[in-house]
Amino acid sequence: MTPLMQQYWSIKAAHKDELLFFRMGDFYELFHDDARVAAPVLNIALTSRNKKNADETAMCGMPYHSVAGPINKLLESGFRVAICDQIEDPALAKGIVKRAVTRILSPGMVFDPETLDGSKANYICSVDRETLCFLDATTGEGFYFLGKKNSLGLTKDFAGLIELLSPKEIIVCSDHANQLLQLKILSGPVITKFDRLIDTPQHKNLPDTAKRLLAYAVHMQGESLLNTISEFENRSILKRLVLSPTVIRHLEVFENYAGEVKGSLFDAINLTKTAAGSRLLKSWLRFPLLDLNKIKARQDHLGFWLSDISGLKRVRTLFSQMFDVERRIGKIVNPSCGPRDFISLSNSLKVGVEVSRADKNLSYSPLDLEKVQGVISLIENTLREEPSVSIAKGGVIADGFNNVLDELVGLSDHAEKAINAIEAREKLNSGISSLKIRFNNVFGYYIEVTNTHLEKVPKNYIRRQTLAQAERYITPELQELENKILSAKARRIELEGQLFSELKTQVISQLGTLLTFAKLWSECDVVTSLAWLALQDNYVRPEFKNDKKLEIKNGRHPVVENKIGKNFVPNNVELSFGDCLLLTGPNMAGKSTLMRQVAVLVIMAQIGSFVPAVAMSMPLFHRFFTRIGASDSLAQGLSTFMVEMSETAEMLESADGNSLVILDEIGRGTSTYDGLSLAQSILEFLLESSGSLIFFATHYHELTQLSEKNHRIKNHHMSIHEKNGAMTFLYTLREGPANKSYGIQVAKLAGLPASVTERAQCLLKVLESDSGRGQLSLTFGLDQNTEQSKKFTDLGEQVRTVLIEKMTPLDALNKISEWQQNYF
């Protein structure tokens, strides 16, 4: 085994659970099983180190400067990665270059935060019987929820929050790991056992879950990471309108039913200019406020910008010039951080300072703003405007920043002029016009003379190398200059590295202040984007009242309106807690859209946004419950109907007098009479027990009769226009029930064959008759050929038009006998 592979195995032995990225010159290499695992995931070639040896070493690799993408791909696939770097200068190494693992990476602790989707958080979380804690190490965001003790180790609310926030990795102590692995909801994130807790005075009051996350972060990427993490926030579940994953999915808040962002509520209202702003908007949508003062403060902030349109335009232009400050701050402590990251940070901070001065609603200390300006000045004074990509290449520190460095730069940068001067002088003195001075890594600087001029070589030249067509020489003068040049370059790079490290240390000392301002700027980005949305689409400020009544005048669904524009038909809604708006009408008439619209407007109002309506007043809603659409849960082995009943069961258990309940076509997953019975029973239970504000859409128009016995049921329907059998949707909410079902008419609009809809019409008439209700025979139901359908259509028409009053009893019996012979 070669010394290099001996070194590799000694390091790999300590990192058996990670894929080891082994730095060799300008490449990172993976060997043996690591290479066999990584190559197909990364779609790169698997080769070998010793192709002529019977014991070939499998390997694959990639250039060091493009390693971020492959690493993140492996992390997204659930692998862990150890970065093994060269920790000494290869030029100064005696024997094998010293190497060591400098970072350990996992799905929640990434290599380069800027390679992630900027609109998504990258959470790791930790959970025990009392708390659930989240940390995004790329932005420094940390928060936790308190829950009730639970023998399983995970409360029901915690399970929903984990599904909602989708952490990449769950860090748990060994005692809880097996319990978590048994929960199907946690099949997505990687579960990592880690038993250590951070033990520092400033973190002593945090719950163990937060201490575990911090200890894990330090274990993975070093103590300097702590400088980028904000103070953990205690987010009480009771103080926020926590939208369950079910509600998020039913209302298509972040994705439509096809799993696409386009067509979601977030897509419709997200006009933020920065990645950090888009992440914050998502957080607001996940956790609408229950604190009326905070809601009104956001409304006031938004109103401030609507009163200053020119200022609003200017600030939005500023935000378009700002990079992701939070993640750039997170990268500062990263070993991969380079000079250009600091320049980018400085440019974004300058934009942020202008934003701070323009937004009178941001709360900050003028002294802290001076600190931000100090960081900007420090970076601008230390670094060149366009520094090289890497410290190792030099050309990073600004001219005039350090006198010693300036001398070294002058010597190394002017070396070429000095060499050219010596070359010109030697040509003149020796009379050898083809004489050249060159450089290579083996011999350094040398003088090359072709064989035809060897007799002219001066005596003070010292032969270094003989070639086929020339000889190479050195002189004491050239050797002395070479020593100075190479020494200057080495000293220059070393000094630049030292000065850059000092800059990094000084900036890191101010990261707490920078993070505070980064969050303020994100908030301003969200608010100004919502202000622009309100201005652009005529949104209004909703009012909050304590009269337990929801009133919306000419409300519009922002997603649908985005799609169809001015053709959207607005609607008025008025409903009190304890009442139910029972909504009937045909498919495609807009029942689901109307109910989603109400829910979406409530969410927007409780994040502090203005809403698409002429006017809106509402109380604060504390809980949301929805059952919309049909979907199987294949992973849990549940049918559509079982999912529907499970979600409804949770709703009946938890809905109260501060809840908004939306039910769409409940009971349709079973037989007609089963479904109708369940729908009525569920509606009665909600009205008697919950006190919620209820929207209940159904095709069981029989339920509309309940309003005769219960005045809290308010019958409404989505109106249509019907003429000569043709139906037009008006998408308008009207009082009163729909007078019939329109399934066959909708089927006609959908393009079903006329024979099918005609046959359905015949069957419907039989079913709706007193004698035929529910008694359709098997033979009758299976006979679906076109000719038979036409016969029964003809029979139906004869029965409808026969003049019974002009017939004698005998005539009637004869007519019935005729029909029996002709049609049965």
Side-chain angles (χ1 to χ4, degrees):
M1 186 183 296
T2 65
L4 180 69
M5 294 312 295
Q6 288 178 353
Q7 184 189 56
Y8 168 82
W9 283 115
S10 67
I11 296 172
K12 177 62 182 174
H15 298 277
K16 296 177 181 178
D17 296 331
E18 289 93 29
L19 300 176
L20 185 65
F21 275 61
F22 196 73
R23 180 72 180 268
M24 295 178 64
D26 289 338
F27 285 80
Y28 279 107
E29 304 286 358
L30 294 94
F31 297 109
H32 299 283
D33 287 345
D34 286 0
R36 296 186 187 97
V37 168
V41 176
L42 301 177
N43 195 27
I44 59 177
L46 181 67
T47 182
S48 60
R49 181 170 171 80
N50 301 309
K51 294 184 179 180
K52 296 181 180 180
N53 192 312
D55 182 24
E56 294 184 353
T57 300
M59 65 181 292
C60 65
M62 66 287 299
Y64 79 95
H65 55 77
S66 59
V67 74
I71 287 178
N72 275 358
K73 192 170 184 180
L74 290 169
L75 298 181
E76 288 171 5
S77 300
F79 295 102
R80 294 164 64 88
V81 171
I83 306 296
C84 180
D85 283 314
Q86 298 173 169
I87 57 173
E88 69 173 337
D89 187 343
L92 304 176
K94 296 180 180 179
I96 297 295
V97 177
K98 291 180 182 178
R99 292 178 174 86
V101 170
T102 55
R103 298 177 68 195
I104 305 174
L105 309 170
S106 66
M109 302 294 295
V110 298
F111 178 73
D112 184 350
E114 293 186 343
T115 60
L116 299 173
D117 182 343
S119 68
K120 295 181 179 178
N122 197 75
Y123 290 123
I124 57 175
C125 86
S126 183
V127 61
D128 59 23
R129 292 183 178 88
E130 298 180 25
T131 59
L132 172 64
C133 186
F134 290 86
L135 170 66
D136 185 344
T138 68
T139 65
E141 180 188 19
F143 53 91
Y144 59 90
F145 300 93
L146 300 178
K148 297 178 181 178
K149 289 187 178 181
N150 185 304
S151 60
L152 177 65
L154 189 67
T155 70
K156 192 173 185 179
D157 285 332
F158 285 0
L161 287 165
I162 290 173
E163 185 179 356
L164 183 65
L165 293 168
S166 301
K168 299 293 185 182
E169 191 173 6
I170 300 179
I171 316 300
V172 291
C173 67
S174 301
D175 292 343
H176 294 154
N178 292 333
Q179 294 170 329
L180 287 170
L181 288 169
Q182 293 172 2
L183 295 176
K184 294 180 180 179
I185 194 173
L186 302 182
S187 60
V190 172
I191 296 178
T192 301
K193 298 178 185 178
F194 190 81
D195 293 322
R196 273 181 273 165
L197 305 177
I198 198 166
D199 184 20
T200 55
Q202 62 266 40
H203 300 121
K204 65 179 180 180
N205 294 324
L206 289 176
D208 283 355
T209 49
K211 293 178 181 177
R212 181 170 292 108
L213 289 183
L214 290 172
Y216 181 71
V218 169
H219 166 72
M220 298 290 280
Q221 298 193 4
E223 289 192 6
S224 60
L225 185 66
L226 294 176
N227 292 291
T228 69
I229 296 175
S230 303
E231 184 177 347
F232 277 75
E233 176 189 356
N234 179 1
R235 293 185 180 177
S236 170
I237 296 175
L238 300 177
K239 293 183 180 180
R240 292 176 183 268
L241 172 55
V242 179
L243 301 180
S244 70
T246 299
V247 172
I248 292 287
R249 184 171 59 254
H250 286 169
L251 298 181
E252 301 177 286
V253 175
F254 299 118
E255 293 180 345
N256 62 20
Y257 276 121
E260 301 167 340
V261 174
K262 188 173 180 61
S264 67
L265 172 63
F266 172 74
D267 179 60
I269 70 171
N270 179 31
L271 300 182
T272 57
K273 294 290 188 178
T274 68
S278 68
R279 291 194 300 272
L280 183 60
L281 177 58
K282 281 187 175 180
S283 180
W284 285 13
L285 287 171
R286 286 192 188 98
F287 303 106
L289 296 170
L290 291 179
D291 187 323
L292 191 55
N293 290 329
K294 290 183 178 180
I295 293 173
K296 289 183 176 180
R298 286 183 185 174
Q299 290 179 329
D300 290 343
H301 196 176
L302 199 154
F304 165 80
W305 287 112
L306 286 175
S307 67
D308 182 10
I309 305 303
S310 61
L312 176 61
K313 291 179 180 179
R314 177 174 173 270
V315 167
R316 283 178 57 76
T317 300
L318 286 172
F319 276 125
S320 66
Q321 302 165 12
M322 180 180 281
F323 292 100
D324 192 338
V325 177
E326 288 181 348
R327 283 194 168 154
R328 192 56 56 90
I329 289 172
K331 192 176 180 181
I332 292 298
V333 299
N334 193 313
S336 64
C337 175
R340 294 185 182 179
D341 293 312
F342 280 86
I343 295 297
S344 175
L345 175 63
S346 175
N347 291 337
S348 293
L349 294 179
K350 284 191 283 188
V351 172
V353 169
E354 291 191 59
V355 169
S356 299
R357 289 170 174 161
D359 193 343
K360 306 303 180 185
N361 288 267
L362 296 183
S363 178
Y364 60 85
S365 162
L367 183 61
D368 285 340
L369 189 62
E370 288 181 14
K371 292 180 181 178
V372 175
Q373 292 173 302
V375 171
I376 296 170
S377 298
L378 178 64
I379 294 173
E380 289 185 339
N381 292 336
T382 304
L383 301 180
R384 295 186 177 187
E385 288 186 11
E386 296 183 5
S388 62
V389 176
S390 171
I391 285 291
K393 295 183 178 181
V396 170
I397 304 300
D399 293 340
F401 181 76
N402 182 278
N403 292 334
V404 175
L405 179 62
D406 287 344
E407 292 179 8
L408 296 173
V409 169
L411 185 57
S412 59
D413 284 354
H414 293 90
E416 186 175 349
K417 291 182 179 179
I419 293 295
N420 290 338
I422 293 175
E423 182 183 86
R425 189 191 68 205
E426 292 301 315
K427 282 182 180 180
L428 181 63
N429 292 342
S430 66
I432 305 173
S433 59
S434 61
L435 181 149
K436 298 176 181 177
I437 297 180
R438 294 290 183 264
F439 177 87
N440 66 36
N441 290 328
V442 177
F443 296 107
Y445 287 100
Y446 58 85
I447 300 171
E448 185 171 290
V449 179
T450 58
N451 291 341
T452 56
H453 296 287
L454 292 181
E455 71 280 0
K456 298 179 182 179
V457 173
K459 293 181 180 180
N460 65 324
Y461 282 20
I462 303 169
R463 182 180 284 107
R464 262 299 175 87
Q465 186 182 22
T466 300
L467 305 177
Q469 303 295 327
E471 295 282 348
R472 289 176 175 175
Y473 303 89
I474 61 170
T475 66
E477 178 190 22
L478 191 60
Q479 199 166 16
E480 182 180 355
L481 180 59
E482 175 187 316
N483 291 336
K484 288 182 179 180
I485 291 171
L486 296 181
S487 174
K489 284 184 177 179
R491 288 168 59 202
R492 170 188 175 175
I493 292 174
E494 181 183 0
L495 181 55
E496 286 204 60
Q498 178 184 332
L499 295 172
F500 182 73
S501 180
E502 291 173 1
L503 168 67
K504 192 171 182 178
T505 300
Q506 289 176 282
V507 173
I508 286 175
S509 70
Q510 300 298 324
L511 289 188
T513 301
L514 300 186
L515 275 171
T516 298
F517 274 95
K519 295 183 186 306
L520 290 176
W521 299 331
S522 298
E523 180 182 337
C524 182
D525 184 22
V526 175
V527 170
T528 52
S529 74
L530 292 175
W532 190 260
L533 180 70
L535 179 68
Q536 171 184 282
D537 294 340
N538 297 315
Y539 286 12
V540 298
R541 177 172 180 159
E543 294 184 72
F544 288 87
K545 297 181 178 179
N546 293 321
D547 57 3
K548 289 288 187 177
K549 180 185 290 187
L550 172 66
E551 292 184 83
I552 302 173
K553 183 177 181 182
N554 286 348
R556 307 171 331 255
H557 195 301
V559 178
V560 181
E561 185 179 41
N562 254 11
K563 186 175 182 180
I564 65 176
K566 294 181 179 179
N567 293 324
F568 186 87
V569 179
N571 274 295
N572 299 329
V573 173
E574 184 174 337
L575 197 66
S576 299
F577 274 96
D579 290 349
C580 170
L581 191 149
L582 185 61
L583 188 57
T584 50
N587 283 320
M588 301 299 295
K591 299 192 302 298
S592 294
T593 297
L594 177 77
M595 294 192 301
R596 283 190 176 98
Q597 174 181 307
V598 169
V600 162
L601 264 60
V602 169
I603 291 172
M604 292 178 66
Q606 289 193 212
I607 70 169
S609 172
F610 287 15
V611 297
V614 170
M616 179 174 177
S617 65
M618 57 176 282
L620 280 174
F621 289 89
H622 290 239
R623 299 292 295 271
F624 263 50
F625 298 96
T626 60
R627 176 58 220 169
I628 302 173
S631 59
D632 290 338
S633 183
L634 299 180
Q636 299 184 41
L638 302 178
S639 68
T640 298
F641 187 66
M642 187 63 178
V643 171
E644 178 179 306
M645 290 299 102
S646 297
E647 293 177 355
T648 306
E650 179 183 354
M651 180 186 303
L652 298 183
E653 178 186 353
S654 305
D656 59 19
N658 292 309
S659 300
L660 174 63
V661 173
I662 292 178
L663 284 163
D664 188 14
E665 305 301 346
I666 196 74
R668 65 181 173 182
T670 183
S671 71
T672 300
Y673 294 114
D674 271 359
L676 176 57
S677 302
L678 278 168
Q680 180 173 336
S681 180
I682 289 167
L683 177 55
E684 289 173 349
F685 182 92
L686 285 169
L687 286 169
E688 293 168 4
S689 305
S690 73
S692 304
L693 193 148
I694 306 164
F695 287 81
F696 196 106
T698 184
H699 281 298
Y700 299 131
H701 60 269
E702 295 89 345
L703 293 178
T704 60
Q705 298 171 19
L706 296 175
S707 63
E708 298 173 5
K709 297 180 180 180
N710 192 326
H711 70 277
R712 287 182 293 168
I713 295 177
K714 315 295 182 183
N715 279 319
H716 285 69
H717 68 280
M718 301 305 295
S719 61
I720 64 164
H721 177 69
E722 189 176 14
K723 184 176 181 181
N724 299 327
M727 186 172 63
T728 305
F729 297 122
L730 301 180
Y731 304 109
T732 304
L733 182 67
R734 302 289 189 199
E735 291 188 10
N739 55 11
K740 65 175 182 177
S741 297
Y742 293 88
I744 295 175
Q745 288 89 333
V746 173
K748 288 180 181 179
L749 288 176
L752 264 66
S755 61
V756 173
T757 55
E758 289 170 4
R759 166 69 169 161
Q761 194 70 52
C762 291
L763 298 176
L764 179 62
K765 287 181 179 178
V766 174
L767 283 171
E768 290 182 336
S769 67
D770 290 339
S771 60
R773 189 175 300 278
Q775 302 298 319
L776 192 62
S777 71
L778 182 60
T779 303
F780 187 73
L782 292 174
D783 186 7
Q784 296 184 15
N785 63 73
T786 303
E787 196 61 40
Q788 190 73 356
S789 295
K790 289 181 178 177
K791 286 176 63 178
F792 282 110
T793 301
D794 180 53
L795 172 61
E797 185 62 22
Q798 289 187 47
V799 172
R800 189 179 68 81
T801 59
V802 68
L803 301 175
I804 298 175
E805 68 275 10
K806 294 184 178 181
M807 298 176 71
T808 65
L810 182 59
D811 290 337
L813 288 172
N814 288 335
K815 195 63 170 175
I816 292 172
S817 177
E818 176 189 331
W819 287 340
Q820 284 179 331
Q821 291 175 13
N822 292 338
Y823 295 101
F824 296 95

